[in-house]
Amino acid sequence: MNAGEPSGVFGEATDTEARIARLERQVLRERMARIEAESIAEKGLRDLFESTQRISLLQKITDIANSSNEVNASIRAALEEICCTLGYDFGNGYLLDGEGRICACDTWFVQEPQDFARLVAVSRKAEFEVGNGLPGKVVAKGDIVWTRELYSITGCTRAKEAEACGLASACAFPVRVENEIVAVLEFFTRKPVHETKELSWLMNQIGTQLGRVMERQRAWSLLQTARHDTLTGLPNRAILADRAHAVFASLPADNTGMAMIVLDLNGFKAVNDRHGHHAGDKLLTLVAARLGRSVMSWQEHHRLGAKTLLARTGGDEFVLMLHGRFDSTSLNTLAETIHDCLAPPFRMGNTSVNVGASIGIATSNTVHESHDHLLRDADLAMYEAKKLGSRRTIMFTRELGTSVRRARQLEGEVRDAVSKGQFQLYYQPIFTLGPNTRICGFEALLRWNHPMRGLIGPDEFLSCAEDIGALSTIGEWVLQEACATIARMPPMAGAVESPFISVNIAPEQFLLPNFVKQVKSAVNGAGVAPSRLKIEITENVAIIDAAAAAEVLTEIRRWGVKASLDDFGTGYSSLSYLHQMPLDSLKIDKSFVASLHEPKNVNIIRAIVDLARDLELTVIAEGIETSEQARVLASFGCQQGQGFLFGKPRPQWNIFGLLAA
Ligand code: C2E
Ligand code: MG
Ligand code: MG
């Protein structure tokens, strides 16, 4: 405003302008405030939108984690959800191998495959050490890694490929099971990544959710390993027991409708020993496959609707459980199908091997109290089948159960008897026959002092001892005990020669490689003259291995121990064996003596005595019960005899008294 101008009019104009200016300022302020308010509202909306997106992403990942047991599938789904929601171009998954390496698991997601082909190719099989590359850095740091300069990361082998497709920003986060990092997920993006608190929180949550899948898979695979046979992939004993328990519980009141087939391979051990465990393992997988096929083919042919479960329950033992409709004929057919399927040789590399099977079958009935009981019966039948040789099937019966259970009990008791030293030797005197009858020796006869049943004779337990492999242990003890008795024997009144003790030797013991050593150590241990010990073998040793038997006999006789052929005439050996065997004496079996009144036996005994004389063998007759038998045998030229006429087998103290008398 100029000086001296009337203030009225000009003053009014000035006021108006000032008001306008004020209004303009006010409008401007309001506009600014509105813009600010709008932008606040917009940001709020955007934040709200982003946080809704984040929550929805987390929800989706949680759903994936809840519904999946498969690690790779859940990683793949998570990569896709994350890329699509957060706008990342490429996502890739890694698993830790437990040995410090981080290995890509060939699981990735890419928005535009054609643009990122090269990066995908190098990423899907990439491997990193801890500390190297993006995944390695995550593991080293134990937390999320963000970068806008990929190439700045140590050991980042893919920076070039990433850069070539315009990717410079990346982030990666760990997947954890509790505190352990088990996987890493990495993402590449063309847009610069923004590290925010919310995103970090989101990625941590996703890592935890995916970790749950991995934890479940670990537990599942542990369970699988524990319940499946890792070699053949068949269910193991635990699964069989579970299913069998359930099936047994579902049986009708009469317990019908369930069967167990136990199958044990014959010849498997030989494959293992000869071709190694690797071949053994391979054979088991081939057997399992053939068994599976034969069970299926049986099911197709016998449309009875029986359900089956094939399990491997031990080294070379398989069990097939049946449930539903079947009969004994169809079970036998099944067993035959199994035998047939195993019959062709198994080809393994350059060799082929043969194995057979022993099969035991048991069907459920009212006697069975549990599936276990049924399985035990099938097992028992299988062992019986095994005794008969390969390719045999035995169906369990109650009678079989009773006899086998008795035998098992006896086996246990015999084992006990061996460990507790419940055996004792009785001695039966052997006399010279003829006018000057006198004691010339004793036969040592084994007795078992059973704690409940008293004294038991060898016929009741020797074959059981043989079955459980205890015969040679017992035999060795018998040798030592007999020699100890020789050592303690008082001198016989008026005798020129000291009496011998005859010890029965089973073929299994006689043909042991260390038998000669056993004899020598028993004789030397007792400090007695070898000539006072006589061993009694039967014709069976000659049948098993005549040459080996002759060799052993030659050696122990050269050393001074005497040898006798027991039970002569009862075996199947031909007289030629007798000729080959270097022996001192032979014992005519008591069955010939008992029937001495029969002319046929008289002739046999005469022939034996004549033959023995030609071979310069002493003849001893067993089982002499009457003086008439003794007289006749002596008249035939039989030099020695033993039997109830002269005395029953008796304990050591008793023969010492006899000798002194
Ligand atoms: P063995 O060697 O032929 O023994 C003779 C058997 O006839 C003995 O039976 C004896 O008690 C019995 N005996 C003796 N005199 C008479 C008689 O006048 N009449 C009748 N009826 N029997 C008589 P035992 O002691 O029961 O032995 C049976 C078999 O057991 C023995 O037959 C022998 O083969 C075997 N044995 C006995 N002790 C041992 C042993 O320490 N080791 C082995 N491996 N086998 C043994
Ligand atoms: Mg004998
Ligand atoms: Mg005999």
Side-chain angles (χ1 to χ4, degrees), residues 443 504 536 566 587 622:
E443 177 172 8
N504 292 284
E536 290 188 14
D566 203 358
K587 297 181 86 171
E622 298 183 309

Side-chain angles (χ1 to χ4, degrees), residues 89-92 94 108-110 113-126 150 156-170 186-189:
D89 295 289
F90 170 58
N92 190 32
Y94 295 84
W108 78 97
F109 176 78
V110 66
Q114 66 286 1
D115 292 1
F116 302 103
R118 184 82 201 106
L119 180 65
V120 170
V122 288
S123 298
R124 55 189 285 194
K125 296 267 156 48
L150 253 179
C156 181
T157 46
R158 297 164 298 157
K160 245 189 1 218
E161 285 81 5
E163 233 182 354
C165 25
L167 300 167
S169 288
E186 66 175 6
F187 298 91
F188 292 74
T189 166

Side-chain angles (χ1 to χ4, degrees), residues 443 504 536 538 566-568 587-590 622 642:
E443 177 172 8
N504 292 284
E536 290 188 14
T538 58
D566 203 358
D567 304 340
F568 188 72
K587 297 181 86 171
I588 300 176
D589 189 67
K590 58 179 176 287
E622 298 183 309
Q642 71 182 96

Side-chain angles (χ1 to χ4, degrees), residues 260-520:
M260 288 286 192
I261 299 184
V262 174
L263 178 151
D264 194 88
L265 296 183
N266 298 313
F268 174 71
K269 192 177 171 298
V271 174
N272 245 352
D273 292 347
R274 236 174 270 153
H275 304 281
H277 287 270
H278 187 67
D281 286 355
K282 170 92 181 141
L283 177 63
L284 287 174
T285 57
L286 296 176
V287 166
R290 281 199 199 176
L291 289 177
R293 281 199 297 274
S294 67
V295 173
M296 263 165 62
S297 87
W298 173 82
Q299 275 179 314
E300 278 165 21
H301 279 89
H302 293 262
R303 299 176 182 281
L304 295 174
K307 292 194 184 93
T308 57
L309 176 87
L310 178 64
R312 180 173 166 235
T313 49
D316 59 352
E317 190 182 276
F318 296 83
V319 173
L320 178 66
M321 178 180 80
L322 282 100
H323 174 213
R325 286 181 52 213
F326 51 80
D327 52 27
S328 60
T329 315
S330 62
L331 288 179
N332 275 318
T333 317
L334 173 56
E336 278 313 298
T337 313
I338 292 174
H339 286 309
D340 287 346
C341 93
L342 296 176
F346 288 85
R347 289 212 59 79
M348 296 191 308
N350 294 331
T351 48
S352 64
V353 297
N354 287 291
V355 286
S358 302
I359 295 179
I361 305 178
T363 50
S364 55
N365 57 47
T366 44
V367 171
H368 294 119
E369 285 157 10
S370 68
H371 67 278
D372 236 15
H373 192 172
L374 177 65
L375 186 60
R376 269 205 316 270
D377 284 351
D379 214 36
L380 204 140
M382 185 277 289
Y383 277 107
E384 287 305 293
K386 215 169 181 65
K387 283 186 194 160
L388 302 176
S390 201
R391 223 204 131 99
R392 299 298 284 261
T393 303
I394 294 278
M395 193 74 89
F396 180 85
T397 59
R398 213 171 282 186
E399 297 71 40
L400 176 74
T402 314
S403 83
V404 171
R405 263 186 277 279
R406 271 203 204 120
R408 292 260 169 97
Q409 188 185 343
L410 185 66
E411 281 176 13
E413 289 176 356
V414 171
R415 273 198 192 93
D416 243 27
V418 174
S419 65
K420 292 181 180 158
Q422 291 170 353
F423 295 110
Q424 192 183 345
L425 285 188
Y426 267 46
Y427 300 89
Q428 185 176 34
I430 300 174
F431 281 73
T432 54
L433 295 181
N436 297 321
T437 293
R438 59 179 172 81
I439 291 177
C440 56
F442 296 89
E443 177 172 8
L445 293 159
L446 188 61
R447 298 291 179 265
W448 174 11
N449 242 323
H450 192 283
M452 312 292 288
R453 293 163 59 198
L455 217 57
I456 298 178
D459 290 339
E460 266 197 66
F461 62 85
L462 275 183
S463 69
C464 168
E466 184 188 342
D467 287 348
I468 61 169
L471 206 54
S472 66
T473 312
I474 297 173
E476 197 170 358
W477 174 83
V478 170
L479 272 171
Q480 289 164 358
E481 178 68 12
C483 289
T485 302
I486 298 173
R488 272 183 249 138
M489 239 182 224
M492 190 165 60
V496 189
E497 256 183 83
S498 305
F500 61 85
I501 287 189
S502 221
V503 170
N504 292 284
I505 307 290
E508 297 70 24
Q509 187 187 1
F510 183 77
L511 293 171
L512 280 177
N514 70 341
F515 176 67
V516 176
K517 219 169 123 196
Q518 270 188 20
V519 173
K520 288 184 179 176

